[in-house]
Amino acid sequence: MGEKTRPPVTGVQSATRILSLLRIVGAHRGDGIRLRELTELSGLDRSTAHRMLACLVDEGFVERIDSTKLYRLGLEALQWGFTSNGLATVVDRLRPLMQRLGRQTGDTVYLLVRSGDFALCLHREEGSYPIKAFMMDKGMRRPLGISAGGVAILALMPEEDVPQVYARNAREYERMGVSPAQFKRLVARTRTAGFSEMAHVSGEEARGVGCAFWLTQSSLAAISIAAINSRMLPQRMAELGVQLARELEPLAWKPRGEAGAVR
């Protein structure tokens, strides 16, 4: 009698397939990915891929980009990814710097990371000045280019990606009064200066300064400082921008072999 054939372990197979889908979505986090492409890359049939993708969406690990047919990593996946970085989380690594900046400036300091076409707020430190500039809460996302940190992140992205970000979210930018020309100017000015200076476009009476850096080889982050307009005069904004760039330079990811490379 031949060896008895064991039935397939469907639970393990399902876990393997759904993790494979999540990995593929993560690899296309910039532009997003369509279901058709997911089925081709995963080797799954359309109905299976759609069912598993729906599960990931329900749990918050994947999200659909507005009214498009594109999918990208969701907040849950990003939170998992950014809470395990060696022995310390990203927030733990950068909190001491943020607290020091808050003490020195008296203003509000934000830590943002890129999440597709959005800037996700991971942490906020409050300074001592009694009037706070609370532009974002932890876990909140705003389109790239709407905040100082978001503009700084855009400025580190490849040139060809910037107009694509605007095109994919044109309705939202137009609603906020940001034209393609303004979008382009903000990014160009930030690349020249090495940091962003901007008034927030959502109606708040506040201004911010931001500087972005490579958190890993493929992950962008930014730290920004925000305060009410009367505290953000041009000279002070420029000084804060230079300080941020100086503080973040040694913390940025660099390829192995470069001076100061993070390993």
Coordinates of all heavy atoms in Angstrom, one line a residue, residues 12-22 42 44-45 48 51-52:
V12 N -2.5 27.1 6.8 CA -1.2 27.6 6.4 C -1.1 28.1 5.0 O -0.5 29.2 4.8 CB -0.2 26.4 6.6 CG1 1.2 26.9 6.1 CG2 -0.1 26.0 8.1
Q13 N -1.8 27.5 4.1 CA -1.8 27.9 2.7 C -2.5 29.3 2.6 O -1.9 30.2 1.9 CB -2.6 26.9 1.8 CG -1.8 25.6 1.6 CD -2.7 24.7 0.8 OE1 -3.9 24.8 0.7 NE2 -2.0 23.7 0.1
S14 N -3.6 29.5 3.3 CA -4.2 30.8 3.3 C -3.3 31.9 3.9 O -3.3 33.0 3.3 CB -5.6 30.7 4.1 OG -6.5 29.8 3.4
A15 N -2.7 31.6 5.0 CA -1.8 32.6 5.6 C -0.7 32.9 4.7 O -0.3 34.1 4.5 CB -1.2 32.0 6.9
T16 N -0.1 31.9 4.0 CA 1.0 32.2 3.0 C 0.5 33.1 1.9 O 1.2 34.0 1.5 CB 1.5 30.8 2.5 OG1 2.0 30.0 3.6 CG2 2.7 31.1 1.5
R17 N -0.6 32.8 1.4 CA -1.2 33.5 0.3 C -1.5 35.0 0.7 O -1.2 35.9 -0.1 CB -2.4 32.9 -0.3 CG -2.2 31.5 -1.0 CD -3.4 30.8 -1.3 NE -3.2 29.6 -2.1 CZ -4.2 28.8 -2.4 NH1 -5.4 29.0 -2.1 NH2 -3.9 27.7 -3.1
I18 N -2.1 35.2 1.8 CA -2.5 36.5 2.2 C -1.2 37.4 2.5 O -1.2 38.5 2.2 CB -3.5 36.5 3.4 CG1 -4.3 37.8 3.4 CG2 -2.8 36.3 4.7 CD1 -5.6 37.6 4.2
L19 N -0.2 36.7 3.1 CA 1.0 37.4 3.4 C 1.7 37.8 2.1 O 2.4 38.8 2.0 CB 2.0 36.6 4.3 CG 1.5 36.5 5.7 CD1 2.4 35.5 6.5 CD2 1.6 37.8 6.4
S20 N 1.6 36.9 1.1 CA 2.2 37.2 -0.2 C 1.5 38.4 -0.9 O 2.2 39.3 -1.4 CB 2.1 36.0 -1.1 OG 2.5 36.2 -2.4
L21 N 0.2 38.4 -0.7 CA -0.5 39.6 -1.3 C -0.1 40.9 -0.6 O 0.1 41.9 -1.2 CB -2.0 39.4 -1.1 CG -2.8 38.5 -2.1 CD1 -4.2 38.5 -1.7 CD2 -2.6 38.9 -3.5
L22 N 0.1 40.8 0.7 CA 0.4 42.0 1.5 C 1.8 42.5 1.1 O 2.1 43.7 1.0 CB 0.4 41.7 3.0 CG 0.6 42.8 4.0 CD1 -0.6 43.8 3.8 CD2 0.5 42.3 5.4
S42 N 0.8 37.3 -8.0 CA 0.7 36.3 -7.0 C 0.4 34.9 -7.5 O 0.6 33.9 -6.8 CB -0.5 36.7 -6.0 OG -1.7 36.7 -6.7
L44 N -2.5 33.8 -8.0 CA -3.9 33.4 -7.5 C -4.9 33.7 -8.6 O -4.8 34.6 -9.4 CB -4.2 34.2 -6.2 CG -3.3 34.0 -5.0 CD1 -3.6 34.9 -3.9 CD2 -3.3 32.5 -4.5
D45 N -6.0 33.0 -8.5 CA -7.1 33.3 -9.4 C -7.8 34.6 -8.8 O -7.7 34.9 -7.7 CB -8.1 32.2 -9.5 CG -8.8 31.8 -8.1 OD1 -9.7 32.5 -7.7 OD2 -8.3 30.9 -7.5
T48 N -10.1 34.4 -5.6 CA -9.3 34.1 -4.3 C -8.6 35.4 -3.9 O -8.6 35.8 -2.8 CB -8.3 33.0 -4.5 OG1 -9.0 31.8 -4.8 CG2 -7.5 32.8 -3.2
R51 N -11.1 38.0 -2.6 CA -11.6 37.6 -1.2 C -10.5 38.0 -0.2 O -10.8 38.5 0.9 CB -11.9 36.2 -1.2 CG -12.6 35.7 0.1 CD -13.0 34.3 0.1 NE -11.9 33.3 0.0 CZ -11.5 32.7 -1.1 NH1 -12.2 32.8 -2.2 NH2 -10.5 31.8 -1.1
M52 N -9.3 37.6 -0.4 CA -8.2 37.9 0.5 C -7.9 39.3 0.6 O -7.6 39.9 1.7 CB -6.9 37.1 0.1 CG -7.1 35.6 0.3 SD -5.6 34.7 -0.1 CE -6.1 33.0 0.5

